[in-house]
Amino acid sequence: MTRHTPRYLTPAHPTGARRLRRWIAGTITLAMLSGCTAFGGSGPSTGAVKRAYKEGYAAADIQVMDLDSNVIQRVRAATQSQRFAQVFGSTPPTATVIGSGDILDVAVWEAPPAVLFGATSVDPRLAANPMVAQSAAIPQQMVSEEGTISVPFVGQLAVRGRTPQQVERLIIAGLAGRAHAPQAVVRVVQNDSRAVTILGEVAASRRMPLTGRGERLLDALAAAGGTRQPVGKMTVQLARGGRTAIMPLETIIAEPAQNVTLAPGDVVTALFQPFSFIALGAVAQNAEVPFEGGGLSLAQALGRIGGLRDDRASVHGVFIFRLEDPAALAPEVAATARRTADGRIPVIYRLDMSNGTALFAAQDFQIRNRDVLYVSNAPLVDFQKFLNTVSNAAFSIIGIGNALN
C-alpha cells in the first residue's frame, strides 16, 4: 500500500509552504542559539584570562597581576639581580697556578765552581771557564695527570696547585747539598688548565689562557677578534660552575662593573638576536617577533606588531604570559605559588590601555625572551559576529521562502 503525503503539507499548497518556512526558520534559529557561544576567535576573552588564577598550568596556579608601578619595580629589581656583577661577583686577579696539562720550562743554574751542571752548559767555551755559572738543559715538559714533573737530581715534584715561584723554591731545596748555590727559574709556557672558552658570533672561537693580570670579559671578546655583528644586537652569555647569566653587550660596555674578571673554566658565548616574543590575538600581526639583545619595552613590542586592531581589540585586555622568576613576585605570593619543574611561576600580566598611565607602564615594562603577548577581542566584537550570523541566516530564510512561493 502506497502512503501519500497530505496535499496541505506539500510546498505547492499555501499552508504547506508556510509551515515549511516556519520549520526551516525554527531549525536555523535553534542552530544559531545552540552555537552562539562558539563563534570563531583568536583566543580567550578578557574575562577568561582574568579568571585564569582559578585554573592550572603544569600543576601550577597561574598568577594574574595588573601592571602597576609596584609590579614593574619588582620585575626590574629581579632583572638587575641576574646581571653579571650580581651573579658572579667581583673576582680579584689571582697568581698563576699550575695545573695538569700545563707545559713548563725549567732552568736550573749553579754558581761556580759548578758541581752538578759543570759540563751541561750550552756553550763549551763557558763550560771551560770555572768562574761562569752553568745551567742544566732541561727540556720543556707537560704536567702529568698526577700533577707532577721530573727535575734531574731532584726527581718527581708535585707542582699542581702551586705557583711557579713555589716550584722554584722546591727545586732549590731539592738541590741543596748537591749543587753549588743552585738557582731555578720556572716559566709556564702554555697554561691550558687556566683558560676560558670563547665561542659564538666572534671572529675566531678559541681558548684563552688566563694570567695573573686578571683578564676580563671584554678582553676575551677582543682576543677572539670581536663580534661579527653590531654591538647593539649582541648578547653575551657567561657560564661558570653551573650558573649561567646573559646580558646585552652594549650594557657590559657601558657599565664597567658588568665587565667581570674571568675565572678558569668560564665559557663565554656571543649570541646574535637570540630573543623573540610571540604576538597573538587582536593585533595587526600575529607572529613570532625577534628582538635585539639590548631589550624591548612593551610599548616597542606593540609598535613592532602594528599595535592593537581598532575593529577587534579590547583596550582592557592586553596580556603578557610569562614563566616568571620567583624573585620578581611579592614574597607572600612567591611563598605560596606552585611552580613549574624548572622552579618558575606562571604569571599573566595585564595592561589596561583605557587607563591614562598605561603608556607609561608600557614603556617601563620590559619584554623577555619567549613572552607571549596576547590581546583579547572586545565584547562587542563577538556580538557583531552574532548579528552578522543572524543577518546571513535571515536572508537565507527569505531566499528559501521566495523559492518555495
Side-chain angles (χ1 to χ4, degrees):
M1 178 178 179
T2 304
R3 300 181 63 181
H4 298 280
T5 302
R7 187 170 179 269
Y8 62 84
L9 292 180
T10 61
H13 192 278
T15 303
R18 286 194 298 271
R19 291 183 178 181
L20 182 59
R21 285 197 295 270
R22 285 198 296 269
W23 177 82
I24 294 175
T27 302
I28 294 177
T29 302
L30 179 63
M32 289 190 302
L33 292 176
S34 63
C36 64
T37 60
F39 293 106
S42 56
S45 65
T46 300
V49 176
K50 293 172 67 176
R51 292 190 300 269
Y53 71 93
K54 298 180 180 179
E55 302 174 3
Y57 170 76
D61 295 337
I62 299 177
Q63 305 296 322
V64 181
M65 301 181 179
D66 287 329
L67 277 180
D68 56 26
S69 59
N70 293 330
V71 170
I72 293 175
Q73 287 176 5
R74 282 196 297 266
V75 173
R76 184 184 296 116
T79 303
Q80 294 286 335
S81 68
Q82 298 301 314
R83 291 148 70 93
F84 290 159
Q86 285 68 36
V87 173
F88 302 107
S90 178
T91 305
T94 58
T96 301
V97 178
I98 299 170
S100 297
D102 291 350
I103 298 178
L104 303 183
D105 179 77
V106 179
V108 179
W109 296 77
E110 186 179 7
V115 178
L116 287 179
F117 307 115
T120 59
S121 175
V122 177
D123 191 336
R125 293 172 298 177
L126 298 178
N129 188 345
M131 301 305 296
V132 176
Q134 306 296 316
S135 66
I138 302 176
Q140 294 180 356
Q141 54 187 308
M142 179 182 293
V143 179
S144 67
E145 294 182 0
E146 293 76 21
T148 63
I149 61 171
S150 179
V151 178
F153 302 106
V154 178
Q156 296 290 322
L157 280 180
V159 299
R160 183 170 56 196
R162 303 179 187 271
T163 65
Q165 294 74 22
Q166 291 173 329
V167 176
E168 290 172 0
R169 290 193 288 269
L170 286 177
I171 295 174
I172 294 173
L175 293 174
R178 300 181 181 182
H180 183 212
Q183 300 292 319
V185 176
V186 177
R187 185 170 60 93
V188 179
V189 178
Q190 185 173 328
N191 191 357
D192 282 342
S193 64
R194 286 177 49 85
V196 298
T197 303
I198 311 116
L199 42 83
E201 289 292 326
V202 292
S205 298
R206 58 166 298 188
R207 281 176 56 84
M208 182 187 77
L210 299 177
T211 68
R213 184 174 68 88
E215 286 77 8
R216 295 180 176 271
L217 190 57
L218 294 180
D219 295 330
L221 294 177
T227 60
R228 294 188 293 186
Q229 305 294 340
V231 170
K233 297 185 177 182
M234 295 295 300
T235 57
V236 178
Q237 176 180 286
L238 178 59
R240 175 187 300 173
R243 295 178 298 172
T244 302
I246 188 168
M247 283 189 64
L249 177 56
E250 61 181 2
T251 302
I252 300 171
I253 296 173
E255 300 180 19
Q258 305 305 326
N259 186 25
V260 296
T261 302
L262 297 173
D266 282 356
V267 178
V268 179
T269 307
L271 304 171
F272 172 62
Q273 280 191 336
F275 299 148
S276 66
F277 71 93
I278 297 175
L280 298 173
V283 294
Q285 179 185 6
N286 283 215
E288 181 178 4
V289 183
F291 62 94
E292 298 80 7
L296 189 74
S297 69
L298 175 55
Q300 291 173 313
L302 290 172
R304 292 200 178 184
I305 57 177
L308 280 60
R309 288 188 53 173
D310 293 338
D311 60 335
R312 287 180 49 192
S314 169
V315 292
H316 306 288
V318 178
F319 301 97
I320 299 92
F321 291 71
R322 175 182 296 175
L323 293 175
E324 185 64 275
D325 185 345
L329 305 180
E332 61 274 14
V333 175
T336 58
R338 295 184 179 180
R339 307 185 182 188
T340 59
D342 58 356
R344 293 184 291 176
I345 299 175
V347 175
I348 303 174
Y349 294 109
R350 171 177 172 262
L351 182 67
D352 187 351
M353 295 293 287
S354 66
N355 191 325
T357 62
L359 291 180
F360 292 105
Q363 293 181 65
D364 286 341
F365 187 80
Q366 294 294 308
I367 293 293
R368 288 187 189 167
N369 187 35
R370 299 182 181 179
D371 278 355
V372 176
L373 172 58
Y374 172 73
V375 179
S376 64
N377 285 341
L380 288 179
V381 172
D382 292 333
F383 182 68
Q384 183 63 47
K385 291 180 181 179
F386 175 76
L387 291 181
N388 291 339
T389 305
V390 171
S391 175
N392 293 334
F395 282 113
S396 299
I397 294 172
I398 293 173
I400 294 174
N402 292 336
L404 294 176
N405 288 331

